[in-house]
Amino acid sequence: METVKAWVLPAGPEDRSGGPVRGELTLARIPIASPGEHEVLVESRVGCWEANMEHALARSPIDVVRQRGEDRIVVGTCGVVRVLSVGSGVRGLREGQDCLWIPFGRIDRNGYAESISAYDAPGSPGLLAERLVVPADRLVPLPSDGRYPAERWAPFARYFTAWDNWRVTSRCWRSQVDDAWDEQPLVLGWGGGVVYAELELARREGFRTAMVSGRDSRLKDIAASGAVPVDRRDFPDLDYTWAKESGEPDAMDRYRASEARFLEIIGELSGGLGVSIFLDNLGGGLHRATLKSLAREGVVSTVGWKTGMRLWNLRATECISRHIHVHTHAWRFQDGARIRDAMQATGWLPDIAEEPVTPFDRIPELAAAYGRDDLDGYFPLFSVAGRD
């Protein structure tokens, strides 16, 4: 059987009593079969490092390799692939065509993913392999005009996810308010590329937008995008969980000072009304401040859980304030071509002209930098195709 090069992640130790042990990618050759009747053999071209890839390496919250019952897996869930050959029953795809790979494993009756390929879907391949065989219906062809290079399409999963989350979130907010606004409502976000993409959709609907970051390069990008940059360093101790559990005698005082400064900034940005829609893809110890900053009839929306999976709120306060809590994941399968067309028509793609693309043999370095939160941009790209 033919083999291809791939960066593989082995299963972690069975005993997790001492906590998860971070995994390391290892270069190996893995077998690859010929495509079946309704399958396609594709070449991985360029991908974008995703949060679920970090979750897999960190083995947090679970060891997905062990959950899948496998010795090793190939991760990589977002990117552009090129069709090499198609099964006898495949229509509408041809050799040499560039496509977006939709990494959905099991899909529910409404089209939403219940498992993700190259993550928790058993037996599924990933883009850190030179070539892979995938179901034909998981490919969305790129427009043939070549207006935008593959690198700008590679982070598409962040944009597809942003499109879906904003569709739900905007409708929820509008369900409680009139369309005639006395003040321009504020949409605030903290997180990464999904929030960055989502804020552009909010601006197109007439909202004022702002985004939090503690890194100069990202604050510059936020300002250039049309959102108001909010410097995270102005409220350095805004982590309620850390303050409560640290044991440091002044921890809560420092938290309260940071919270007060954060709420002061929100008041200035919102005309004293609070955040109408808070895109909170961080959570954890920041969630308390998120809820305090919300306006009445406000919406807090999340499509990620980067710094904390468990959230706490006081139900009475949330009910009285008529706050809506939105939780989404990925996007609806049947919307893929529709979102692609919207991106193509409006130019709603990341401007990554100056973003470095990590070559295949240095992918572990990219993984390590992402794990340290040591990357300036929101869309860390890697290339696979073109190797010997």
Side-chain angles (χ1 to χ4, degrees):
M1 179 178 290
E2 183 184 3
T3 63
V4 298
K5 291 180 181 179
W7 289 103
V8 301
L9 173 66
E14 188 171 359
D15 182 5
R16 290 173 57 96
S17 59
V21 177
R22 184 176 180 84
E24 294 185 2
L25 296 173
T26 302
L27 189 61
R29 297 199 73 92
I30 62 171
I32 184 169
S34 299
E37 181 181 2
H38 299 290
E39 294 180 323
V40 179
L41 174 66
V42 299
E43 174 186 60
S44 301
R45 287 201 58 206
V46 58
C48 186
W49 200 268
E50 292 285 302
N52 60 29
M53 299 168 71
E54 167 61 21
H55 292 323
L57 267 68
R59 310 193 202 281
S60 176
I62 59 172
D63 184 338
V64 295
V65 187
R66 287 196 172 276
Q67 183 198 45
R68 286 170 49 160
E70 300 170 31
D71 295 329
R72 61 183 186 175
I73 66 172
V74 179
V75 297
T77 54
C78 176
V80 175
V81 299
R82 177 165 291 166
V83 175
L84 298 180
S85 63
V86 302
S88 60
V90 175
R91 301 291 181 268
L93 294 172
R94 53 177 172 74
E95 183 178 334
Q97 194 169 22
D98 284 345
C99 299
L100 307 176
W101 175 51
I102 307 299
F104 284 11
R106 188 173 61 251
I107 301 173
D108 71 16
R109 62 194 177 101
N110 293 311
Y112 296 103
E114 294 184 310
S115 63
I116 299 297
S117 295
Y119 185 64
D120 59 348
S124 59
L127 293 177
L128 293 193
E130 291 179 308
R131 295 190 292 280
L132 55 155
V133 174
V134 300
D137 66 355
R138 298 302 197 266
L139 297 178
V140 174
L142 285 182
S144 59
D145 63 6
R147 185 188 310 174
Y148 304 114
E151 288 77 10
R152 292 192 68 182
W153 285 106
F156 80 91
R158 285 169 167 82
Y159 277 69
F160 278 30
T161 298
W163 187 93
D164 179 85
N165 183 258
W166 181 251
R167 176 179 63 90
V168 176
T169 299
S170 176
R171 290 177 181 180
C172 285
W173 185 78
R174 293 176 187 277
S175 70
Q176 296 198 107
V177 301
D178 295 328
D179 287 333
W181 302 336
D182 294 331
E183 300 286 343
Q184 191 178 25
L186 174 66
V187 178
L188 180 75
W190 47 34
V194 174
V195 169
Y196 183 86
E198 203 162 346
L199 289 175
E200 174 61 28
L201 297 179
R203 284 192 294 278
R204 293 180 183 188
E205 287 193 17
F207 290 88
R208 187 180 189 196
T209 60
M211 187 170 179
V212 182
S213 178
R215 187 166 291 157
D216 289 336
S217 58
R218 292 186 178 180
L219 291 169
K220 181 180 177 181
D221 289 342
I222 292 167
S225 74
V228 177
V230 178
D231 196 330
R232 177 70 172 83
R233 293 165 293 193
D234 286 345
F235 32 91
D237 299 302
L238 193 71
D239 187 327
Y240 182 73
T241 301
W242 175 85
K244 186 171 63 172
E245 298 176 354
S246 71
E248 297 185 13
D250 64 341
M252 286 306 301
D253 289 338
R254 287 157 55 192
Y255 171 80
R256 293 187 187 98
S258 282
E259 182 186 87
R261 176 56 182 152
F262 173 68
L263 295 177
E264 179 184 13
I265 293 171
I266 296 304
E268 293 170 355
L269 290 175
S270 66
L273 297 176
V275 180
S276 293
I277 297 175
F278 204 131
L279 305 175
D280 180 5
N281 285 351
L282 295 181
L286 300 174
H287 193 61
R288 176 186 173 101
T290 292
L291 296 180
K292 282 195 171 187
S293 73
L294 274 185
R296 286 188 58 80
E297 295 85 44
V299 176
V300 56
S301 182
T302 182
V303 70
W305 46 90
K306 186 172 183 179
T307 62
M309 290 184 64
R310 299 183 185 275
L311 303 177
W312 181 93
N313 65 74
L314 187 62
R315 287 179 66 189
T317 300
E318 297 309 287
C319 289
I320 293 168
S321 299
R322 295 191 65 96
H323 288 164
I324 296 177
H325 294 235
V326 173
H327 298 84
T328 69
H329 180 237
W331 59 93
R332 192 167 53 184
F333 180 70
Q334 57 267 37
D335 286 335
R338 178 184 177 189
I339 306 172
R340 175 207 58 194
D341 292 345
M343 294 173 69
Q344 171 78 358
T346 65
W348 180 57
L349 290 89
D351 185 5
I352 54 175
E354 298 181 2
E355 291 284 339
V357 180
T358 301
F360 185 77
D361 57 359
R362 296 180 59 187
I363 282 176
E365 298 175 31
L366 174 65
Y370 189 96
R372 297 191 305 267
D373 193 21
D374 196 25
L375 296 171
D376 284 336
Y378 287 116
F379 309 104
L381 303 182
F382 59 88
S383 64
V384 180
R387 291 186 52 78
D388 295 332

